[in-house]
Amino acid sequence: MASASASASTRVVPIAPIYDEQEDNDTPLSQLTRHWMNERHAPDILPAQEELLSSLLDHIRRQSEAVQSLRGEPSASEEDHIRIMLVQMEVERVKFIVRSYVRTRLFKVEKFARFIMTDETIQARITMAERAHASRHAHLTDRHFHNVVLQSLPETQSHLDDTPIFMPPMITKPDETRAVFVHALRDCPPLRFHDKTLEMKRGHISLMPFSFIQTLLLRGDVELL
Amino acid sequence: MSLPQSLQTSVTPPELELIASQQLIEIIPLIAMEKTAFISGAFGPLQPPRKAQIPLWMAINLKLKKKCHIVAPEWLSVEFLQSRLDEEVSDLGFSMLPFRYAEISKVLLDVAPDDIQNIDKIRSLLKDLREARQAKSREGLDQLNREELSLSNLCSMEINEIRPFFVHAMGILTHLHRDASTEDQL
């Protein structure tokens, strides 16, 4: 499919950005946008992108400062005003993405707080701040449940981490079997399924359980849609 | 709540529009602007009437202030859409369209109707395309199994539309399989 799309787009030249348009132009912002979407769609918490995030936050601050200083100039023409407005508007757009990204992670951190406290691999994927938040959140909810209900129950029923048979365990874990839409960013090594193998070429889109593509996602070979 | 309920399972069309608006589009500026550094890169200089490429969101903003004309992308034309529609009807697979065509065409039709030729025809072609493709993706549900479903050439908005149902359906198939295999062991 990828080779077909490549030849098609060279043949029909005027329709150049036919498929994925700005792949070559991989700016920090487009990287964050991709991480944002991955995070939104993945059932598990993905590795934190602290460097990328802090460099973008720096950039936002620099742009805002530039706007502030330009605003003070009385000689600004109408064109300058439009420039200032556009720069400011972009800052707001980027802020929105940053916020939504951070909140998505926060949501998962809270949801899996107890699991995070017990699992080291997931702890390695989140930031210090997120770990601290998970720990506080887990303690607070534990204490709350204990004070409100659990302390008055018999000892055998007063735990929050039971794994009763025929029932889902009490600690919420990421559901890695949940299906996600994947888009191959480059040709991928073959994936083995129960009854077939699939070699995803660049541009291929598939729906499959998250666990199958987890490693490809971490390597940046695919993105979630 | 750190993430509102409505955003927990899927992304919303406005969010997809936000992402699509990062893409570059050609404009004919009506104002001059020096080359300016943005977070997503440097754009400009704008010098009327020389064409320039800027992100869609910027173009929309300038257009709303009547500071530019937008040059409709090549694919937003009657010939192109008609040929894709013919393909859509005759072929089994999805025809190839720009990945974010739905978002971009909606924005352009809303904001810059005067910059697009044959706009009524384009509107109806887009609608026909959408319906033809929707029917196909519903048929795709037939082939759904618990492991993999290939959906090449499906577009961003279409994926978002089928997401809740398809993901849920696949989840149920996985569950059924898991239950069956644990029963085998018992």
Side-chain angles (χ1 to χ4, degrees):
Chain A
M1 208 62 249
S3 58
S5 73
S7 66
S9 57
T10 43
R11 200 158 25 89
V12 207
V13 182
I15 317 152
I18 188 104
Y19 196 65
D20 230 339
E21 305 74 9
Q22 281 145 15
E23 252 171 79
D24 305 327
N25 175 16
D26 211 10
T27 63
L29 179 59
S30 61
Q31 286 173 32
L32 182 72
T33 310
R34 196 159 63 234
H35 287 300
W36 172 42
M37 280 297 113
N38 287 346
E39 198 67 68
R40 280 290 284 279
H41 296 309
D44 203 352
I45 304 180
L46 301 174
Q49 304 292 331
E50 281 185 282
E51 259 175 55
L52 178 64
L53 206 57
S54 68
S55 84
L56 263 168
L57 287 174
D58 266 354
H59 206 154
I60 290 178
R61 193 163 43 238
R62 283 202 305 276
Q63 293 285 80
S64 313
E65 280 166 12
V67 166
Q68 284 307 325
S69 67
L70 275 173
R71 274 214 164 147
E73 278 179 36
S75 61
S77 62
E78 193 204 343
E79 280 141 29
D80 286 336
H81 279 300
I82 288 185
R83 265 173 78 195
I84 294 172
M85 178 208 66
L86 289 176
V87 170
Q88 212 166 16
M89 210 174 142
E90 191 194 34
V91 166
E92 292 306 318
R93 291 169 59 87
V94 179
K95 275 188 189 165
F96 175 87
I97 295 177
V98 169
R99 274 195 214 112
S100 180
Y101 172 71
V102 173
R103 287 172 67 154
T104 308
R105 290 183 64 88
L106 204 57
F107 163 67
K108 291 189 198 176
V109 164
E110 287 179 5
K111 187 169 166 192
F112 305 130
R114 289 187 61 92
F115 178 65
I116 291 172
M117 300 322 296
T118 61
D119 188 277
E120 279 177 14
T121 53
I122 199 169
Q123 282 174 20
R125 270 182 274 140
I126 60 180
T127 64
M128 294 280 277
E130 286 167 337
R131 224 173 306 162
H133 184 74
S135 148
R136 268 202 314 274
H137 190 272
H139 282 134
L140 279 174
T141 47
D142 274 15
R143 216 175 49 222
H144 176 68
F145 287 143
H146 184 77
N147 290 343
V148 176
V149 187
L150 297 174
Q151 60 177 352
S152 5
L153 292 179
E155 159 68 16
T156 49
Q157 289 165 20
S158 67
H159 301 290
L160 278 171
D161 49 6
D162 293 341
T163 44
I165 34 167
F166 302 124
M167 298 280 269
M170 289 178 77
I171 297 182
T172 315
K173 277 192 214 174
D175 174 15
E176 285 171 6
T177 60
R178 198 173 88 196
V180 289
F181 287 89
V182 278
H183 170 218
L185 294 171
R186 43 182 102 103
D187 295 354
C188 298
L191 287 171
R192 230 170 287 281
F193 291 99
H194 173 237
D195 53 351
K196 62 174 174 187
T197 49
L198 171 74
E199 226 170 296
M200 289 199 289
K201 293 266 182 260
R202 180 163 173 253
H204 184 98
I205 297 176
S206 243
L207 174 69
M208 63 176 88
F210 179 71
S211 53
F212 284 107
I213 49 90
Q214 206 166 4
T215 30
L216 291 180
L217 182 65
L218 295 184
R219 283 216 311 245
D221 286 350
V222 298
E223 64 176 346
L224 304 184
L225 296 173
Chain B
M1 208 61 181
S2 42
L3 199 64
Q5 188 84 40
S6 57
L7 300 184
Q8 286 175 15
T9 48
S10 198
V11 293
T12 58
E15 286 173 315
L16 291 177
E17 198 181 295
L18 179 103
I19 297 174
S21 304
Q22 308 279 40
Q23 286 183 11
L24 301 183
I25 193 158
E26 216 169 23
I27 59 156
I28 302 171
L30 299 174
I31 47 153
M33 187 180 92
E34 289 166 50
K35 188 167 180 163
T36 309
F38 290 89
I39 296 177
S40 46
F43 297 105
L46 302 184
Q47 271 168 339
R50 196 176 297 166
K51 286 183 184 174
Q53 286 224 328
I54 57 172
L56 184 57
W57 63 267
M58 219 183 270
I60 294 166
N61 198 273
L62 291 179
K63 175 74 193 174
L64 288 172
K65 294 194 166 64
K66 304 207 186 332
K67 304 286 185 209
C68 77
H69 293 296
I70 294 179
V71 181
E74 297 280 341
W75 54 264
L76 197 62
S77 64
V78 173
E79 300 120 286
F80 182 82
L81 294 176
Q82 184 68 57
S83 77
R84 291 301 139 118
L85 181 61
D86 295 344
E87 230 178 90
E88 205 66 69
V89 177
S90 59
D91 291 4
L92 271 175
F94 291 96
S95 69
M96 212 188 304
L97 283 164
F99 185 61
R100 305 192 187 278
Y101 87 94
E103 298 92 315
I104 296 174
S105 60
K106 172 167 189 311
V107 170
L108 290 182
L109 289 175
D110 283 355
V111 175
D114 50 328
D115 290 337
I116 302 167
Q117 288 173 344
N118 298 324
I119 189 155
D120 292 329
K121 180 76 181 147
I122 286 183
R123 274 210 178 94
S124 83
L125 280 170
L126 282 169
K127 189 158 173 280
D128 292 347
L129 258 176
R130 185 181 132 82
E131 282 166 7
R133 291 168 72 92
Q134 242 177 358
K136 270 189 202 172
S137 54
R138 284 203 200 105
E139 277 165 24
L141 198 55
D142 264 7
Q143 299 161 26
L144 191 69
N145 58 32
R146 69 189 165 82
E147 288 190 318
E148 197 267 341
L149 180 66
S150 291
L151 295 160
S152 281
N153 291 342
L154 208 61
C155 294
S156 139
M157 200 60 99
E158 294 159 351
I159 289 178
N160 211 45
E161 237 172 38
I162 63 169
R163 184 191 323 274
F165 192 73
F166 274 53
V167 166
H168 188 64
M170 213 174 203
I172 289 180
L173 289 172
T174 310
H175 262 283
L176 288 173
H177 178 82
R178 201 190 299 154
D179 291 351
S181 57
T182 44
E183 250 166 51
D184 285 349
Q185 286 162 15
L186 287 177

